[in-house]
Amino acid sequence: MHKNHKKRRRSVRLQRSVLSAALCALLLTSCAPASRAPQPTTAAPYEEETGADYEQLTENSLKEQQRFADLEESLFQDEISASRLDLHFLLKNPEGRGITKTDALIAPISMEAFLQTRNDQEELRKELSGFQTALLTDDQKLTLRILESLMNTEKKGEGLELYSQPLAPTIGTQAQLPMLLCEYAFYTRQDVEDYLNILEYLDTFYGQILSFEQEKADAGLMMSDTSIDHVMESCKSYLLVPGNNFMIDSFKERLNALPDLTDDAKKELCARNEAALEEHFVPAYKLLIDGLEKLKGTGTNEKGMCGYPDGKAYYQYLVYTATGTSYHSIDELMTATEQEISDNLQITSKLLSEHPELESMLDNYQYRQTEPTAIMEELKEQTLKDFPQLPECSYTLKDVPKALELSLSPAFYLTSPIDDSSQNVIYINRNPIYDNQPLYNTIAHEGYPGHLYQTVWFHTHCDSDLRKILSFSGYTEGWAAYVEALSYRLDNGLDPLLGELLEANSKATLGIHAYLDMAVNYLGWERKDVQKYLSSYFSDPESIADSMFETMVDNPANYLSYFIGSLEIRNMRETAELQLGDSFNTTKFHTFLLDMGNAPFDVIQAYFTTWLMNQKMGN
């Protein structure tokens, strides 16, 4: 039974998004349940200690472990009950965790809320420093290190709250929220009521965002007119046609699956939904469009993030937030990225020179499976070779509504609730602009052995509720990008040499995007610099230079989650393969990463060193 925490509710924002789109005997695997009574530490006492000394040590350890368990439970309760929207996606049965109410329908976006979060983070930082680490269990030590790393990263953004970007063309709040509303599951009649309340609150919430954008404009930190146009274009996708649209269709589908509702009740709820869409949802997007139009001309920075007064410092914060990297500086990251691009282009050059027939294959190749479900099932079978077997789970593959294809990513996975890993949804964007991204590899990224596989594994192998809601995009997107690259070389119907060529090309291309992300937002590259750089890799750089530049400006540090995260994993794998030689076991390596779970790489690296030592010793 959960305790009632009487202290003021904190909101340190440990989990960042419900869209996707965490020691063994010697510090390796498994998570101990934070909400259960902790066990004594397993360290043997020194020989010179008396029985009384040992009893005192054990008693002190138990007290410290219980104190940390109480903090974990408090943080979990505070974080997950901050908003009704987050709670619903993270927990199917909140009452089972003792949660009956939330602070808000949607987590607020305002300077007041950001500053309160900073105060709460400082309070947590002090609380974490007060624990005697040696007395905690191994799992608690890991959680403590993760929280400390997170707080150190958040410290980098202190005083830079106005640089936050809630609006962005494809990854902004205005683009993602409607898809969350479409997937808001109806388990009970109360869920329908909550959904309608959120829908009716949307114009108020977007008014909040506009007020924040006005503060940014007043401080000289507004986005450029070009970026405003991109966001406004995204908003226009949600000016729904009354009476027949994806928000109405999805509502009816969920309602029909809800038992014990009379036809009259369904009609009444459908009418309320349509009224909320007409009176609140569409007006909310009109409000954003009109408000942003009025803010045009206030943003004078046409460069990347470093073009703002403290933009370079904020970008550094974004980089470490997005990657959790073990690299010590952005300069180091840029050097490593250049090397990775070069290495993979050398592979492509070597393959094409030794096997010239591959060039003709590039124009016309096909995977054995081309339909989403068939691809998922084949990948599910393929993972048994180099990955631990996942517990049985279900999934649903859906197409992005046509009206939203230009506003959303090529594909995305919606994280399943932590108390029900059977609910897994993957959306696929069928717009022709994404035809150059093979569906096989996209589903590997989102499904098996990517986001779905990774999420279900951790949810079913870790008992710490707090660990399950911690979010580090460098780890999650890095894993997905890493396995996506591996999928080119699976038994998928491609010529093995062609798969190797496509894999190297994919890594190099992602690396180029990541390098430009840092060059535009950290070094201050302009359009002409981007075009000059691309001319080294593409025959027609003029056709893509502007869109590449604008993408980096609109979404600073976004590509780094994918590229730097996957680079960190490949670095560890290469180190393990080099040091272990023939005794390297791919499945054991993947199991280590999966068991570690969502964590920053500066923490994972220390545990990897221990894991590698254990592997050398044959443990």
Side-chain angles (χ1 to χ4, degrees):
M1 190 171 187
H2 295 298
K3 298 180 179 179
N4 291 321
H5 302 282
K6 296 181 180 179
K7 62 196 297 185
R8 177 182 58 79
R9 184 182 295 284
R10 293 174 293 197
S11 179
V12 292
R13 302 307 294 157
L14 299 179
Q15 97 273 7
R16 301 185 185 282
S17 174
V18 291
L19 278 177
S20 238
L23 300 141
C24 72
L26 292 175
L27 309 179
L28 179 58
T29 60
S30 89
C31 289
S35 57
R36 301 176 192 165
Q39 299 299 310
T41 54
T42 56
Y46 293 110
E47 291 183 3
E48 64 267 28
E49 289 178 341
T50 65
D53 291 334
Y54 180 57
E55 280 186 24
Q56 184 63 46
L57 174 63
T58 303
E59 183 180 352
N60 290 342
S61 296
L62 285 172
K63 286 181 179 178
E64 195 71 347
Q65 290 162 21
Q66 186 59 57
R67 192 163 73 90
F68 190 82
D70 289 344
L71 173 64
E72 277 198 77
E73 178 62 18
S74 173
L75 283 173
F76 171 75
Q77 293 265 338
D78 290 350
E79 288 298 306
I80 206 164
S81 58
S83 88
R84 174 59 57 182
L85 185 67
D86 287 348
L87 174 63
H88 189 72
F89 278 92
L90 292 169
L91 271 182
K92 180 178 180 179
N93 180 25
E95 292 79 9
R97 299 297 202 280
I99 300 170
T100 57
K101 61 180 182 178
T102 58
D103 294 345
L105 291 171
I106 308 176
I109 293 178
S110 67
M111 270 301 290
E112 181 183 5
F114 288 148
L115 293 176
Q116 182 60 61
T117 295
R118 289 294 179 205
N119 291 335
D120 292 340
Q121 288 172 349
E122 190 56 39
E123 179 185 316
L124 176 58
R125 192 191 321 278
K126 292 175 183 176
E127 198 165 354
L128 294 173
S129 67
F131 283 100
Q132 299 180 62
T133 308
L135 300 182
L136 301 178
T137 67
D138 284 342
D139 292 335
Q140 289 178 333
K141 289 174 185 175
L142 173 57
T143 302
L144 176 62
R145 287 164 182 157
I146 290 170
L147 290 172
E148 287 176 334
S149 174
L150 176 58
M151 290 302 100
N152 288 339
T153 297
E154 287 301 314
K155 190 75 173 175
K156 297 178 190 292
E158 191 171 9
L160 303 173
E161 291 76 20
L162 272 178
Y163 285 80
S164 300
Q165 296 176 296
L167 303 177
T170 57
I171 61 173
T173 300
Q174 90 293 339
Q176 295 189 356
L177 191 48
M179 294 313 300
L180 291 179
L181 292 173
C182 282
E183 288 299 324
Y184 197 97
F186 296 162
Y187 306 116
T188 66
R189 170 68 184 261
Q190 184 57 48
D191 292 328
V192 185
E193 296 292 339
D194 291 340
Y195 167 87
L196 292 170
N197 288 337
I198 292 172
L199 203 57
E200 292 165 351
Y201 177 69
L202 204 60
D203 44 0
T204 301
F205 177 61
Y206 282 179
Q208 245 183 47
I209 293 179
L210 269 181
S211 296
F212 181 73
E213 295 294 336
Q214 182 64 60
E215 285 190 71
K216 288 169 64 79
D218 293 342
L221 302 177
M222 190 58 189
M223 67 182 90
S224 69
D225 287 358
T226 302
S227 293
I228 287 179
D229 284 338
H230 292 163
V231 174
M232 289 171 61
E233 195 61 35
S234 164
C235 290
K236 290 175 184 176
S237 301
Y238 302 100
L239 301 179
L240 307 174
V241 178
N244 183 27
N245 58 67
F246 68 94
M247 294 290 288
I248 291 176
D249 295 340
S250 70
F251 183 84
K252 287 178 179 177
E253 287 175 13
R254 286 171 287 158
L255 208 58
N256 287 333
L258 191 61
D260 305 325
L261 272 185
T262 65
D263 288 342
D264 286 343
K266 289 179 181 178
K267 286 180 181 178
E268 179 196 347
L269 290 169
C270 284
R272 285 178 58 190
N273 178 55
E274 292 192 33
L277 290 172
E278 186 176 345
E279 297 168 14
H280 298 279
F281 183 90
V282 172
Y285 280 91
K286 288 180 177 177
L287 179 72
L288 275 184
I289 292 170
D290 292 343
L292 289 172
E293 183 67 47
K294 292 176 183 177
L295 288 173
K296 277 190 171 182
T298 61
T300 57
N301 175 33
E302 294 291 339
K303 292 186 177 182
M305 186 58 67
C306 64
Y308 296 104
D310 292 315
K312 200 166 187 175
Y314 186 72
Y315 183 68
Q316 288 178 300
Y317 161 71
L318 284 182
V319 168
Y320 283 92
T321 297
T323 66
T325 184
S326 62
Y327 286 84
H328 296 105
S329 69
I330 295 179
D331 291 331
E332 282 187 16
L333 287 175
M334 295 191 78
T335 299
T337 302
E338 281 185 301
Q339 187 62 55
E340 184 77 356
I341 295 169
S342 175
D343 290 347
N344 281 286
L345 288 179
Q346 285 180 28
I347 292 172
T348 62
S349 296
K350 185 172 185 291
L351 284 168
L352 287 170
S353 63
E354 294 179 356
H355 306 276
E357 70 277 9
L358 290 175
E359 188 165 359
S360 62
M361 291 185 192
L362 287 171
D363 296 327
N364 186 24
Y365 65 88
Q366 188 170 1
Y367 291 85
R368 180 168 47 242
Q369 304 296 345
T370 57
E371 290 304 310
T373 301
I375 293 172
M376 277 284 280
E377 289 304 310
E378 179 171 285
L379 286 166
K380 185 177 179 181
E381 184 66 26
Q382 294 271 353
T383 57
L384 298 176
K385 180 183 177 183
D386 289 327
F387 298 83
Q389 186 165 1
L390 191 68
E392 197 60 38
C393 67
S394 60
Y395 61 85
T396 304
L397 299 170
K398 298 184 178 183
D399 288 346
V400 168
K402 283 196 172 297
L404 306 183
E405 287 179 345
L406 293 176
S407 303
L408 294 172
S409 305
F412 51 90
Y413 163 70
L414 271 73
T415 305
S416 59
I418 67 174
D419 56 345
D420 183 7
S421 294
S422 67
Q423 296 186 60
N424 296 279
V425 179
I426 294 174
Y427 271 92
I428 299 168
N429 195 331
R430 299 290 195 162
N431 193 283
I433 63 173
Y434 298 120
D435 283 349
N436 66 334
Q437 300 187 28
L439 188 57
Y440 192 95
N441 312 103
T442 297
I443 290 180
H445 181 110
E446 305 296 344
Y448 287 85
H451 288 313
L452 180 153
Y453 176 94
Q454 168 201 60
T455 301
V456 173
W457 177 273
F458 194 61
H459 282 184
T460 54
H461 285 76
C462 176
D463 294 322
S464 169
D465 284 343
L466 179 63
R467 285 294 316 278
K468 291 175 186 177
I469 67 167
L470 294 177
S471 177
F472 298 93
S473 57
Y475 175 87
T476 54
E477 296 299 352
W479 170 271
Y482 162 76
V483 299
E484 178 184 347
L486 292 182
S487 71
Y488 286 98
R489 286 208 245 178
L490 295 177
D491 179 12
N492 52 32
L494 295 183
D495 180 289
L497 288 174
L498 177 61
E500 190 176 345
L501 177 65
L502 292 171
E503 177 191 10
N505 182 67
S506 172
K507 289 177 184 175
T509 302
L510 185 57
I512 289 169
H513 282 73
Y515 190 85
L516 283 177
D517 193 318
M518 292 181 279
V520 169
N521 290 293
Y522 184 68
L523 298 182
W525 280 16
E526 299 182 26
R527 294 173 190 267
K528 64 180 187 301
D529 303 306
V530 171
Q531 182 173 321
K532 181 180 178 181
Y533 176 77
L534 291 174
S535 65
S536 302
Y537 304 109
F538 299 95
S539 57
D540 184 21
E542 295 88 352
S543 64
I544 58 173
D546 279 351
S547 63
M548 288 278 273
F549 173 80
E550 290 168 9
T551 295
M552 303 313 159
V553 171
D554 288 342
N555 310 288
N558 181 51
Y559 280 100
L560 302 189
S561 297
Y562 302 83
F563 180 77
I564 300 302
S566 59
L567 179 61
E568 292 269 7
I569 294 173
R570 286 197 296 273
N571 286 346
M572 286 186 278
R573 177 167 178 166
E574 288 170 11
T575 299
E577 288 176 332
L578 182 64
Q579 295 194 23
L580 297 176
D582 292 341
S583 64
F584 173 78
N585 184 293
T586 309
T587 301
K588 288 182 179 180
F589 174 71
H590 289 154
T591 303
F592 158 73
L593 285 172
L594 290 163
D595 285 343
M596 281 296 296
N598 232 319
F601 288 105
D602 60 353
V603 173
I604 293 174
Q605 278 289 346
Y607 286 86
F608 169 69
T609 300
T610 301
W611 176 83
L612 190 54
M613 180 183 67
N614 290 337
Q615 295 297 301
K616 288 179 181 177
M617 296 169 61
N619 292 336

